[in-house]
């Protein structure tokens, strides 16, 4: 039985450094330009982390047509403290291909059940897999459990393919976040604190019906609330795992999160605990 959470998060990569010392960058995973401008980032270099900020025009200088459009990431740059008399390339050794991540620390919110962090998508899936394995340590069962942290999910479910090939599971669970729809302007019933989230459909996989029934019946026995998600665009590691070998019964499940694919997202600790128990 394979429990797979993807270790990677949406981030960026250095594309080039301009002659004036500003860093041009590429997105890794799905980003919306609105949530990138003006944000602090850390560039991971051979010499260590370099702090930067995505440059943005002051609102005073925006033309009317500029206010209405979303700036493309290819037109953005990262300011790492460049000046005409300070050579960024020589001092910082920033190179094409260096990874870039949001600078956004973990925090417990005023409501102590709610936890704020940049990388819940999908550190929380890895945490569910790890905690489940820990709780089964002294439990006798007939199965062999693999808790897997996959890579490059956000750019094409790549680590899920190689991991499933290595494990050759009989049954698999892709553990991930879903989209919470309990904020203004969103449509849907998924909410923080509403229980584990089961994906009944996405663009990369449709869950095995018998496995889905088993999970739903188990939750009913536990008197545990469930939430259901369907995603017409995008998918999870289940998309690659379920077509491995002769096919693997697979279900994607996890917890709802607010503001995924941004510098800040929020989960409810109670959903995590219920997901591990389930």
């Amino acid at each position: 039985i394979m429990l797979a959470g993807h270790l990677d998060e949406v981030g960026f990569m250095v594309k080039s450094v301009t002659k004036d010392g500003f860093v041009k960058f590429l997105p890794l995973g799905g980003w919306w330009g609105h949530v990138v401008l003006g944000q602090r980032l850390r560039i991971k270099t051979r010499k260590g982390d370099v702090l930067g900020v995505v440059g943005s025009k002051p609102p005073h200088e925006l033309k009317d047509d500029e206010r209405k459009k979303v700036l493309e990431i290819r037109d953005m740059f990262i300011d790492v403290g460049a000046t005409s008399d300070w050579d960024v390339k020589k001092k910082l050794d920033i190179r094409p291909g260096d990874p870039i991540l949001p600078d956004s620390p973990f925090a417990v919110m005023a409501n102590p059940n709610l936890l704020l962090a940049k990388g819940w998508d999908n550190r929380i899936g890895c945490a569910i897999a790890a905690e489940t394995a820990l709780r089964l340590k002294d439990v006798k069962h007939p199965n062999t459990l693999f808790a897997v942290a996959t890579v490059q999910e956000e750019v094409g479910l790549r680590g899920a393919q190689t991991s499933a090939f290595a494990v050759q599971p009989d049954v698999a669970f892709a553990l991930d976040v879903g989209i919470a729809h309990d904020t203004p302007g969103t449509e849907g019933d998924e909410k923080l604190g509403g229980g584990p989230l089961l994906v009944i459909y996405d663009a990369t996989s449709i869950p095995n019906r018998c496995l889905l029934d088993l999970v739903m019946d188990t939750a009913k026995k536990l008197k545990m609330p469930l939430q259901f998600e369907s995603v017409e665009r995008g998918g999870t590691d289940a998309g690659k795992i379920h077509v491995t070998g002769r096919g693997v019964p697979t279900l994607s499940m996890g917890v709802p999160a607010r503001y995924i694919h941004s510098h800040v997202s929020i989960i409810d600790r109670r959903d995590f605990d219920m997901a591990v128990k389930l």
Side-chain angles (χ1 to χ4, degrees), residues 160-206:
Q161 183 170 349
T162 54
S163 297
F165 179 84
V167 173
Q168 293 293 309
D170 296 299
V171 180
F173 294 88
L175 304 171
D176 211 322
V177 298
I179 301 171
H181 291 107
D182 55 356
T183 57
T186 58
E187 297 180 4
D189 299 322
E190 304 92 328
K191 63 181 181 180
L192 300 190
L197 201 64
L198 305 185
V199 180
I200 60 170
Y201 172 91
D202 68 34
T204 65
S205 68
I206 300 171

Side-chain angles (χ1 to χ4, degrees), residues 4-189:
H6 70 85
L7 185 62
D8 62 310
E9 61 179 302
V10 289
F12 308 97
M13 177 184 287
V14 173
K15 181 179 180 181
S16 62
V17 180
T18 72
K19 64 179 182 179
D20 298 317
F22 295 95
V23 177
K24 302 292 288 184
F25 59 105
L26 300 164
L28 297 177
W31 284 95
W32 187 34
H34 273 166
V35 303
V36 180
L37 279 174
Q39 298 291 341
R40 291 161 61 111
L41 300 171
R42 288 194 175 273
I43 303 171
K44 311 289 285 187
T45 77
R46 290 185 295 181
K47 292 183 177 180
D49 289 6
V50 175
L51 182 65
V53 62
V54 181
S56 57
K57 276 188 180 182
H60 317 68
E61 296 184 354
L62 289 175
K63 300 175 183 177
D64 288 341
D65 62 327
E66 290 178 317
R67 292 176 181 272
K68 296 176 182 177
K69 72 176 184 179
V70 179
L71 191 64
E72 298 288 341
I73 289 176
R74 63 174 175 267
D75 296 323
M76 299 180 189
F77 61 86
I78 300 172
D79 187 335
V80 292
T83 57
S84 59
D85 60 347
W86 205 77
D87 193 319
V88 165
K89 288 185 179 180
K90 290 182 179 179
K91 300 275 184 162
L92 301 180
D93 193 27
I94 297 173
R95 302 175 303 154
D98 283 346
I100 307 168
L101 67 154
D103 182 42
S104 180
F106 166 85
V108 179
M109 304 194 75
N111 175 351
N113 290 320
L114 301 193
L115 308 176
L116 175 73
K118 66 179 176 64
W120 287 133
D121 183 8
N122 183 35
R123 302 301 201 283
I124 199 64
C126 298
I128 294 172
E131 184 65 21
T132 302
L134 284 172
R135 295 192 191 183
L136 287 171
K137 182 180 178 183
D138 298 318
V139 177
K140 290 185 178 180
H141 59 82
N143 306 300
T144 302
L145 181 71
F146 286 80
V148 179
T150 68
V151 296
Q152 296 196 31
E153 189 267 0
E154 296 291 1
V155 290
L157 317 182
R158 297 169 185 171
Q161 183 170 349
T162 54
S163 297
F165 179 84
V167 173
Q168 293 293 309
D170 296 299
V171 180
F173 294 88
L175 304 171
D176 211 322
V177 298
I179 301 171
H181 291 107
D182 55 356
T183 57
T186 58
E187 297 180 4
D189 299 322

Side-chain angles (χ1 to χ4, degrees), residues 242-260:
H242 83 284
V243 292
T244 297
R246 292 177 292 181
V248 181
T250 305
L251 175 65
S252 179
M253 60 179 286
V255 301
R258 294 175 180 169
Y259 322 123
I260 64 171

